[in-house]
Structures are given as structure tokens and as C-alpha cells.
């Protein structure tokens, strides 16, 4: 692949004409090497038949360099080798750096869409179905406790299971690793009865102690993480027998059972996590329909777990590759890292079908009224948020005054574009703005509390009520005391409400109150959509709106 990159460097610098006249000094400079090494590279390229080199003797004399191969052809060869060696990232970065025109990237995008998708082959009289998927996020950690990215949650949801799960459409709760459960009258004691003979990927049988271990390490973590307001309410987890586990809550919380459906509450084996001493996130073993067989910076490979307690998946292998390239325009700002499932066998003629996952992403901005600053004035706050409404720009710019406050907008890199758009609208209306984009970890700290405006995002899926509870519990940290007390009181009422519809009404009341007091403004909401070819069967979604790989299948070509 190095030789491919060297060719692309030369082509980028000297490939503008049919034949280039170059000196050895220029070649060495382009390749960032000595004269001797430059001649060695030229010799190898000529041996490959990619160039024709006619040297001229004498220092400073110009030699003839003719390119016999096109940049697209060499780039494609490089990418194919990169995929086979799991080193696509460096190759694509090199192509992006040395490509002379966008046509090269367009060609590579088209080729990528033929590489990814469904592939079938016959091995030992067995049909092996492989699905290759691209991600634009690195996979760092698949441990349910420490994962942070959507792509990590997607993969983890196919490796691990929880005690209970969401059903399809209506989002009801159905058995998972537990086949039954019950609670006492006060709804603070929850007892779960585990299925027998459920296997982890490394051969160990699931036991109640694995459940205890999974939740105790969650309860003991010092990290601030999603849904921590829920699991910190667990007082005790105890194994009553090999297949019976009891949870004791500090107080009734009707979001506890929905929380157990999330990927954060997945069950891990107590022995393997301890044995691997910190590397469990890259070498996980769960009870899920797929097991991890390979993971590095650029590739994650899953193979079907044939002993899965809910039935074998139809796919045999799933390869997930990190591609630092947005090859799917629909991928941005949606709930799933995978939005196109291409089928290269028919991609040229078939019409894409589309299906909604009944989930969406809502972007909004909130005001930090706890900070002593301009937004503590409700009238100024109302004026600032009014600038973000549809049609505000058409009113034209406001007059700039010397006392017009300067506002700081805090967000994370994924939402920096939205924050910049907000800053532009406010600037047009006379407010000076500065956007501060920090990492998610920094965002949880004092940075957010020092800003005037904060850009947030909410994934609206079957876990929306959990996300709203977590969101509003976080928001109250930067809201003035009176409103904070009101929200916290409403949240406590919601946690005691058994009816999901009544809980939804409670969350809506909080939103209405925040909008009425000009504490919150919704920027926009986009539905999540998956495009797929008609040959893809079994397209269903899990509670987070991600395609469930366990049910996907592809009919054979007859």
C-alpha cells in the first residue's frame, strides 16, 4: 500500500499533463526522501507498469515521467488491499490528501457501496452470509458500562442481552435473560427468574451471580454516565439462588424496569471481565446472537453464536469497518450509524425502499439561568430565543448597541454545526456569539455551567422517557433555583407513575413550562430512516431505532 500512496503523491504533483518533465530533486521533494530512495521508488513503479521513466543524465537535467495508470485505478487497488489488511483509514486519508479532483472520491464512494453490504459464498457445502457495514465512528470500547458512542452501542446490543427487552412496535417489555419477574406492593423489591442453561460466548453458563456482578460494578462506578440517576437508586442486588435475583430499590421508580431494557443494563460474565484485567471492552463476551472474533482500530468482526437462547441469527458474519468518509449522506444526525444496507448484486437496477424506525433526533438549545449574566433577565432571554424562530432572519438585522451582551454557546463536536448556525442567526440579529466545542467528558464538567447557551440533542426512541429523565436531571444544574425545584418535583412524581402515558404527559408538562419561561427552544427534529434494497428481508428495529441484525436475511439467487 505504501507504493500506491507514493504513486498518488507523484500523480497529485505531476499528473496534470500527459508527460511531465521533472528533476530528481523535485521527485525527492515530492516523496520526502533522498535521491537514492526516489530512484528506487521510480524503479518499482515502472516495474509495476504504472509509469514510464526516461532519465536524463546530469545534475539539474529534467527527465521524462509519463503516467500509464490512472489515479482512480491505483486508489481502488490500494483500498482493496487496505480492507484485506484492515488498514483502510490510512489509505483513505492518503487518497483524500493527494486526490486532485472530487471525481476520485466519487469513484471510490461508488466502489465502497459495492464492497459493503451483503456477500454470500459456499464453504464446505454451506452457504456463508456476510454483511459488511461502514461506520464513521471509531469503536473504542464495547463494554456496556463504558461505551459512549452510538456505533459502540449498536455493536454491543448484538453481543449482550439484558434481563428484559422491548417488544416491537408498541415498546412493551418482554422477557430477556429473565423469563419472569414480579414486584412487591411498594414496588421497591423486584425479583427476576433467569432462564436455565443460557451460555456466554466463552462457554460459561449464566448464573444469578453474573447479574449481581454486572449491577454492582455499575452502582459502584464514580463516572457520570447516561441513566446514572436510575441505577444509583438501587440499594442492593442479591442472588437468592442460581437462577433468582432480587433488587431492592431505595424508593419506588417506575423507570427502573424500562432501564433494564437498555444496552447499559446488559449482563456481563463476572469471571471473564476480571480475568481480562481491563481489556474486556475490546475482548467482550456476552450471551447475545453474535460473538466478537476480531477488533482493532479500524475493524470489528462478529460471527453468529449458534447456541443463542432465542434462536440462531440468519447472518453468519458481520464485518464493521471504520471509514473516515461520509459515504452515506443520510448518516449524519440520526439515531443509527448504519442507514444504508446496500446489496451490490442488484444495486445497479433495483429501487431503494425506505422504512422509518419510529425514532428521531431532536436538537434544542437551553439557557443557563443559574449563571449571573444577561440571560437571567427573562425579557432578554425571550428576545434571544425569538431570533431562532422561523422567519426571524427575514425581519432583518437589529441595531447594534454598545451594551449588547456577548453570549457563549457550549456544545460538543457532533453538534458544532448546529451551534454555529445558532450563532449566525443571533449575530444577524445583533448578538455577538462565541461557540465553544469541547469533548463529551469536558462537557459534563464546569465548561457547560460557564456558558450562556447550551446546545443539546435528544434521541426520541422507545427509551425516550429514560432519556428525558436523564436530560432534565442534567438541565436543572444550570437552571435558577425556583424552576429547578419545580422540575425536580415533577420528576419525582413521574418516577412513581405506573402508566407510561401519564409519565409522557408529565414530561410534556416540563417541556411546556421550560418553553413558556424561555428556558428551552427546539431547533429542529429529524426522523431516522433506513434505506435498503427489496432483496433485504427481515428489516426490524430495536428500541434505540437501530436495525436488528439478528433478523436480517437475504434470499439466495436462484
Amino acid at each position: 500500500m505504501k507504493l500506491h500512496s507514493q504513486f498518488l503523491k507523484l500523480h497529485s504533483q505531476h499528473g496534470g499533463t500527459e508527460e511531465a518533465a521533472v528533476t530528481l530533486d523535485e521527485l525527492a521533494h515530492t516523496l520526502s526522501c533522498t535521491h537514492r530512495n526516489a530512484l528506487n521508488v521510480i524503479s518499482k513503479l515502472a516495474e509495476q507498469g504504472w509509469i514510464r521513466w526516461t532519465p536524463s543524465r546530469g545534475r539539474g537535467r529534467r527527465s521524462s515521467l509519463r503516467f500509464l495508470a490512472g489515479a482512480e485505478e491505483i486508489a481502488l487497488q490500494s483500498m482493496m488491499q487496505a480492507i484485506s489488511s484492515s488498514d483502510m483509514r490510512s489509505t483513505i486519508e492518503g487518497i483524500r490528501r493527494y486526490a486532485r479532483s472530487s471525481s476520485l472520491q466519487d469513484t471510490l464512494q461508488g466502489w465502497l457501496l459495492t464492497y459493503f453490504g451483503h456477500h454470500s459464498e459456499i464453504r464446505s457445502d454451506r452457504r456463508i452470509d456476510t454483511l459488511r457495514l461502514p461506520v464513521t465512528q471509531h469503536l473504542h470500547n464495547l463494554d456496556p458500562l463504558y461505551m459512549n458512542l452510538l456505533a459502540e452501542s449498536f455493536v454491543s446490543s448484538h453481543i449482550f442481552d439484558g434481563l428484559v427487552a422491548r417488544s416491537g412496535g408498541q415498546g412493551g417489555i418482554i422477557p430477556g435473560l429473565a423469563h419472569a419477574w414480579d414486584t412487591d406492593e411498594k414496588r421497591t423489591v423486584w425479583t427476576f427468574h433467569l432462564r436455565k442453561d443460557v451460555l456466554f460466548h466463552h462457554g460459561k453458563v449464566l448464573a444469578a451471580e453474573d447479574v449481581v456482578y454486572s449491577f454492582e460494578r455499575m452502582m459502584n462506578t464514580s463516572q457520570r454516565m447516561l441513566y446514572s440517576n436510575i441505577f444509583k437508586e438501587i440499594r442492593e442486588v442479591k442472588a437468592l439462588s442460581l437462577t433468582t435475583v432480587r433488587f431492592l430499590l431505595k424508593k419506588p421508580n417506575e423507570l427502573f424496569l424500562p432501564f433494564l431494557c437498555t444496552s447499559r443494563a446488559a449482563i456481563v460474565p463476572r469471571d471473564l471481565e476480571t480475568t481480562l484485567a481491563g481489556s474486556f471492552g475490546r475482548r467482550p463476551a456476552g450471551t447475545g446472537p453474535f460473538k466478537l472474533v476480531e477488533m482493532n482500530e479500524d475493524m470489528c468482526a462478529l460471527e453468529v453464536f449458534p447456541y443463542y437462547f432465542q434462536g440462531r441469527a440468519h447472518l453468519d458474519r458481520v464485518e464493521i469497518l471504520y471509514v473516515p468518509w461520509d459515504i452515506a449522506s443520510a448518516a449524519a444526525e440520526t439515531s443509527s450509524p448504519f442507514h444504508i444496507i446496500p446489496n451490490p448484486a442488484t444495486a445497479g437496477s433495483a429501487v431503494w425502499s425506505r422504512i422509518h424506525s419510529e425514532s428521531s433526533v431532536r436538537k434544542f438549545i437551553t439557557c443557563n439561568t443559574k449563571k449571573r449574566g444577561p440571560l437571567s433577565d427573562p425579557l432578554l432571554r425571550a428576545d434571544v430565543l425569538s431570533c431562532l424562530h422561523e422567519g426571524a432572519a427575514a425581519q432583518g438585522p437589529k441595531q447594534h448597541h454598545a451594551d449588547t451582551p456577548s453570549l457563549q454557546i457550549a456544545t460538543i463536536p457532533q453538534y458544532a454545526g448546529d451551534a454555529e448556525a445558532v450563532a449566525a442567526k443571533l449575530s444577524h440579529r445583533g448578538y455577538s456569539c462565541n461557540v465553544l466545542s469541547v469533548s463529551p467528558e469536558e462537557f459534563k464538567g464546569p465548561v457547560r455551567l460557564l456558558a450562556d447557551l447550551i446546545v443539546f440533542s435528544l434521541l426520541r426512541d422507545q427509551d425516550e422517557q429514560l432519556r428525558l429523565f436523564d436530560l432534565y436531571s442534567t438541565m436543572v444544574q444550570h437552571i435558577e433555583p425556583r424552576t429547578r425545584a419545580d422540575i425536580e418535583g415533577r420528576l419525582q412524581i413521574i418516577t412513581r407513575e405506573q402508566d407510561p402515558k401519564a409519565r409522557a404527559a408529565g414530561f410534556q408538562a416540563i417541556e411546556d413550562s421550560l418553553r413558556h419561561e424561555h428556558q428551552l427552544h427546539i431547533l429542529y427534529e429529524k426522523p431516522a430512516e433506513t434505506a435498503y434494497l427489496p432483496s433485504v428481508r427481515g428489516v426490524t428495529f430495536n428500541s434505540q431505532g437501530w436495525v436488528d441484525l439478528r433478523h436480517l436475511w437475504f434470499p439466495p439467487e436462484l
Side-chain angles (χ1 to χ4, degrees), residues 161-203:
D161 290 294
L163 292 172
V164 290
R166 292 279 191 182
S167 65
Q170 300 302 315
I173 296 177
I174 60 176
L177 293 174
H179 67 86
W181 60 93
D182 51 68
T183 184
D184 67 339
E185 290 184 0
K186 295 182 179 179
R187 300 183 74 79
T188 56
V189 179
W190 293 78
T191 306
F192 293 84
H193 306 280
L194 305 181
R195 300 177 190 266
K196 294 181 178 179
D197 298 328
V198 173
L199 289 177
F200 284 101
H201 298 154
H202 63 307

Side-chain angles (χ1 to χ4, degrees), residues 14-21 65-67 100:
H14 306 290
T17 60
E18 183 177 345
E19 188 168 316
L65 175 63
R66 178 186 290 268
F67 291 92
R100 298 189 63 145

